[in-house]
C-alpha cells in the first residue's frame, strides 16, 4: 500500500490528529512533513485510555506497528522534542522507533526571541503567531543561514555555525529590539548536549521512506495547520511559514508524487481560526461562545480561544482544488447539534458580485461578505451514532453540500473526539 496524505482544508485545527491516529493503524510509517511545535494534536483513544497532546511527534505514536517520522520539512525545537519524548516515555509509550530527519532545520533561542519581539513591532498588523520561533526559523532556512538537526552531532561545527549566525543576530537583537546578545559557546554546549539525547533517532529519512515505499510498505503523511495557513496558498500574510498543502507533503518528506495514492482532506463542520486575519464567515459573539464551549475551541499549543464561524463552501472548494482531495472527512458535527438552523456560506458577495471562487486579491477577501443558505438543524445528540442510519436526515443535507463544494465524497463524519465516535460511509 503506497502513501496517503492527510491535509487540513481550513485554518488548521480541523481534527487531523484523530484521523492520522485512525489511519496509522494500517500504515507502517507516519510522517510529519512541515510546521513545528506551533501545531497541537489531541488524540483520544476509543478504549478509554488517557488522551494525548502532541506538538512535534507524529500522532501515530500510540500505534506500536507504525514508525513515527519527523521529516526534513519540519522545524524542530530540540528542547521541545526532548521534553515531549520524555513525557511520552513517562506515560509508558515506547518512543525508540522515532526517526528524525538530519536535514530538518532547528528552532534556536534567537528565533523564539525574534518571533516574540518582531510581532510587537508589527503593532496592529501583527499575525498573532504562536511565538514558537517558526517564522524566523523558516526565514533562516530560506536565507541559507539555518542550522540543521545534523549540526547538533558535532559541537565544533555547531559552534562555528553559531558564531557566524550570531554575529548578525546579536546586532539585530541588541540594536533593533533592545535585547541581550546570546553567547555562541554557551548555546553550542547546551545544544550539543540535546544532540546527544536525540542522536539515536537521527537518520536519513528520505532514503528510509523511499526504500520502504519501494518495498511496498505504506506511509501516512500528516499535515499540520491547514490550507488557508499555507505560505503560498493561504490568506497571506496571515499564514504560517511552511507549505501545509499537498506540494509540501512531497518536498517536506522527500517522497515523490508517484507514491502518493490518496489525498485526504479533513474539514470541520464549522470554521475556526486563531490569530489575526480576514474570516468572512466569523459568527456573531453569542454563536461563537456556544461553539467555543461545546467544541472546546481553545488552542492546544497556546490555549488561545479560537475565533469561530460558519461552514464556508468557498474555502472548501478552494482547498479541494489546491490539494486535489480524493475524499474528505467532516469533523465535529456533534458540536452543531441543537442549533435550530445552521448557516452555510455557499458563495461570497464581493462589491455586489456573487462568486464561488476564492478571490486572489487580499482586499477583496477582506471585504467578502458570505451569502448564506440556512440548513435545518437537528436537536438530537449524535455522539453515539455508529452508522449512517443513526444520523438525522439534516446531517445528510450538510454532507451533500460539503460533497458538492469539495467535488469529492465525504468518507466519514466525526461525532466526538474518540476514535470510535466516527461514522464511515461505504
Ligand atoms: P506561526 O505558525 O506560529 O508563525 O503562526 C502564524 C499563524 O498561523 C498564526 O495565525 C497562528 O495562530 C497560526 N497557526 C500556527 N499553527 C497553527 C495551528 O496548529 N492551528 C491553527 N493555527 C495555527
Amino acid at each position: 500500500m503506497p502513501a496517503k496524505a492527510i491535509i487540513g482544508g481550513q485554518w488548521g485545527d480541523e481534527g487531523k490528529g484523530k484521523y492520522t491516529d485512525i489511519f496509522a493503524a494500517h500504515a507502517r510509517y507516519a510522517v510529519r512533513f512541515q510546521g513545528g511545535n506551533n501545531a497541537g494534536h489531541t488524540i483520544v483513544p476509543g478504549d478509554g485510555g488517557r488522551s494525548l497532546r502532541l506538538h512535534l511527534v507524529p500522532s501515530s505514536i500510540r500505534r506500536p506497528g507504525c514508525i513515527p517520522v519527523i521529516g526534513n520539512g519540519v522545524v524542530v525545537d530540540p528542547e521541545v522534542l526532548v521534553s515531549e519524548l520524555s513525557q511520552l516515555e513517562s506515560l509508558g509509550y515506547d518512543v525508540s522507533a522515532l526517526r528524525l530527519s538530519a536535514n530538518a532545520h532547528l528552532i534556536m533561542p534567537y528565533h523564539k526571541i525574534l518571533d516574540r519581539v518582531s510581532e510587537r513591532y508589527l503593532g496592529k498588523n501583527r499575525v498573532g503567531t504562536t511565538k514558537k520561533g517558526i517564522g524566523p526559523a523558516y526565514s533562516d532556512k530560506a536565507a541559507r543561514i539555518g542550522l540543521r538537526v545534523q549540526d547538533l552531532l558535532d559541537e565544533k561545527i555547531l559552534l562555528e555555525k553559531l558564531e557566524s549566525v550570531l554575529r548578525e543576530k546579536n546586532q539585530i537583537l541588541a540594536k533593533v529590539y533592545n535585547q541581550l546578545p546570546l553567547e555562541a559557546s554557551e548555546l553550542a554546549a547546551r545544544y550539543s548536549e540535546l544532540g546527544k539525547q536525540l542522536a539515536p533517532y537521527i537518520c536519513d529519512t528520505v532514503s528510509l521512506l523511499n526504500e520502504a515505499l519501494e518495498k511496498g510498505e505504506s506511509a501516512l503523511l500528516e499535515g499540520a495547520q491547514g490550507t488557508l495557513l499555507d505560505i503560498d496558498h493561504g490568506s497571506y500574510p496571515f499564514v504560517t511559514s511552511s507549505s501545509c498543502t499537498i506540494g509540501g507533503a512531497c518536498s517536506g518528506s522527500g517522497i515523490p508524487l508517484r507514491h502518493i495514492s490518496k489525498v485526504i482532506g479533513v474539514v470541520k463542520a464549522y470554521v475556526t481560526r486563531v490569530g489575526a486575519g480576514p474570516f468572512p464567515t466569523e459568527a456573531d459573539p453569542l454563536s461563537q461562545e456556544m461553539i467555543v464551549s461545546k467544541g472546546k475551541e481553545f488552542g492546544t499549543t497556546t490555549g488561545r480561544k479560537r475565533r469561530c464561524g460558519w461552514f464556508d463552501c468557498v474555502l472548501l472548494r478552494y482547498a479541494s482544488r489546491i490539494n486535489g482531495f480524493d475524499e474528505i472527512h467532516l469533523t465535529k458535527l456533534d458540536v452543531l447539534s441543537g442549533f435550530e438552523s445552521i448557516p452555510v456560506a455557499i458563495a461570497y458577495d464581493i462589491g455586489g458580485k456573487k462568486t464561488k471562487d476564492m478571490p486572489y486579491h487580499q482586499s477583496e477577501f477582506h471585504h467578502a461578505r458570505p451569502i448564506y443558505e440556512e440548513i435545518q438543524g437537528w436537536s438530537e445528540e449524535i455522539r453515539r451514532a455508529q452508522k449512517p442510519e443513526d444520523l438525522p436526515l439534516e446531517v445528510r443535507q450538510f454532507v451533500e453540500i460539503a460533497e458538492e463544494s469539495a467535488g469529492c465524497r465525504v468518507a466519514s463524519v466525526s461525532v466526538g473526539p474518540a476514535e470510535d465516535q466516527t461514522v464511515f460511509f461505504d
Side-chain angles (χ1 to χ4, degrees):
M1 202 175 62
K4 292 178 181 165
I6 296 188
I7 308 278
Q10 293 152 335
W11 274 289
D13 309 315
E14 298 92 352
K16 298 176 294 294
K18 168 173 168 168
Y19 280 92
T20 305
D21 176 54
I22 291 176
F23 287 116
H26 310 286
R28 186 70 182 124
Y29 293 88
V31 190
R32 274 283 307 269
F33 58 83
Q34 46 73 225
N37 58 309
N38 49 351
H41 294 152
T42 309
I43 316 291
V44 183
D47 56 12
R50 261 175 97 157
S51 68
L52 268 180
R53 282 181 167 204
L54 299 169
H55 298 285
L56 262 175
V57 173
S59 310
S60 64
I61 193 71
R62 74 181 190 95
R63 305 283 185 188
C66 183
I67 298 170
V69 178
I70 297 180
N72 56 277
V74 175
V75 282
V76 177
D77 184 330
E79 282 180 327
V80 171
L81 182 54
V82 164
S83 117
E84 195 161 308
L85 291 174
S86 79
Q87 270 174 36
L88 283 165
E89 275 179 325
S90 68
L91 289 172
Y93 290 96
D94 177 9
V95 296
S96 61
L98 176 80
R99 291 293 166 261
L100 168 62
S101 169
N103 285 348
H105 277 249
L106 297 176
I107 299 178
M108 298 299 289
Y110 44 88
H111 294 135
K112 291 184 262 192
I113 302 172
L114 287 169
D115 199 0
R116 193 164 34 82
V117 292
S118 60
E119 274 276 279
R120 241 186 264 152
Y121 269 61
L122 282 172
K124 72 175 179 46
N125 294 326
R126 73 186 205 291
V127 176
T129 76
T130 58
K131 299 193 176 74
K132 305 289 179 191
I134 307 293
Y138 277 115
S139 302
D140 280 3
K141 174 179 176 175
R144 294 159 299 187
I145 53 165
L147 270 65
R148 294 185 292 173
V149 166
Q150 56 186 277
D151 297 322
L152 295 174
L153 300 175
D154 185 327
E155 190 170 343
K156 193 163 155 274
I157 292 182
L158 184 61
L159 179 62
E160 272 171 28
K161 290 194 176 180
L162 276 167
E163 277 170 343
S164 154
V165 171
L166 285 177
R167 258 196 295 280
E168 189 200 4
K169 296 286 180 210
N170 277 339
Q171 296 282 333
I172 297 171
L173 286 173
K175 293 186 180 156
V176 181
Y177 296 113
N178 202 21
Q179 301 289 307
L180 292 173
L182 297 169
E183 178 59 52
S185 57
E186 190 274 318
L187 283 189
R190 185 146 61 95
Y191 277 73
S192 71
E193 204 43 55
L194 291 165
K196 285 185 194 130
Q197 295 179 61
L198 293 175
Y201 311 107
I202 301 173
C203 74
D204 170 4
T205 52
V206 174
S207 298
L208 175 81
L209 293 168
N210 279 291
E211 280 164 20
L213 288 162
E214 283 153 19
K215 276 196 301 205
E217 289 184 323
S218 58
L220 193 62
L221 295 158
E222 177 188 12
Q225 291 85 43
T227 302
L228 273 298
L229 286 173
D230 182 275
I231 184 80
D232 284 282
H233 303 292
S235 48
Y236 192 90
F238 303 100
V239 294
T240 190
S241 299
S242 64
S243 301
C244 326
T245 47
I246 188 64
C250 292
S251 59
S253 66
I255 293 178
L257 262 183
R258 72 186 169 91
H259 283 309
I260 299 180
S261 64
K262 195 179 255 189
V263 185
I264 299 165
V266 180
V267 287
K268 204 145 56 174
Y270 48 94
V271 182
T272 58
R273 81 172 295 181
V274 273
F279 185 175
T281 63
E282 189 160 19
D284 59 278
L286 189 62
S287 305
Q288 288 209 43
E289 273 312 315
M290 286 166 76
I291 297 173
V292 164
S293 73
K294 202 156 174 213
K296 299 194 178 62
E297 292 295 350
F298 295 92
T300 316
T301 300
T302 58
R304 284 183 290 181
K305 195 197 270 187
R306 296 178 182 140
R307 297 160 66 195
C308 299
W310 304 113
F311 194 73
D312 185 334
C313 296
V314 179
L315 294 191
L316 177 54
R317 192 172 129 86
Y318 176 72
S320 193
R321 178 177 272 177
I322 294 285
N323 294 293
F325 290 151
D326 292 302
E327 63 184 37
I328 58 169
H329 297 262
L330 201 53
T331 63
K332 290 196 137 175
L333 210 61
D334 55 301
V335 174
L336 296 182
S337 296
F339 280 95
E340 212 167 289
S341 72
I342 302 165
V344 169
I346 46 148
Y348 293 156
D349 175 327
I350 302 177
K353 266 175 117 178
K354 179 179 169 178
T355 178
K356 288 188 171 186
D357 288 324
M358 180 78 181
Y360 80 87
H361 203 289
Q362 190 185 349
S363 313
E364 290 197 345
F365 191 46
H366 269 280
H367 294 118
R369 290 209 329 269
I371 300 174
Y372 287 118
E373 191 175 299
E374 294 284 332
I375 68 162
Q376 182 69 43
W378 53 93
S379 53
E380 54 270 62
E381 271 304 337
I382 55 173
R383 295 184 138 223
R384 288 180 200 278
Q386 291 291 302
K387 41 189 195 316
E389 305 82 82
D390 298 338
L391 296 167
L393 271 179
E394 293 81 1
V395 169
R396 201 57 242 176
Q397 194 194 348
F398 202 116
V399 166
E400 277 164 20
I401 292 176
E403 286 183 332
E404 200 197 318
S405 341
C408 64
R409 74 187 194 108
V410 170
S412 82
V413 295
S414 169
V415 292
E419 180 190 351
D420 56 2
Q421 291 178 297
T422 316
V423 179
F424 282 92
F425 299 113
D426 295 331

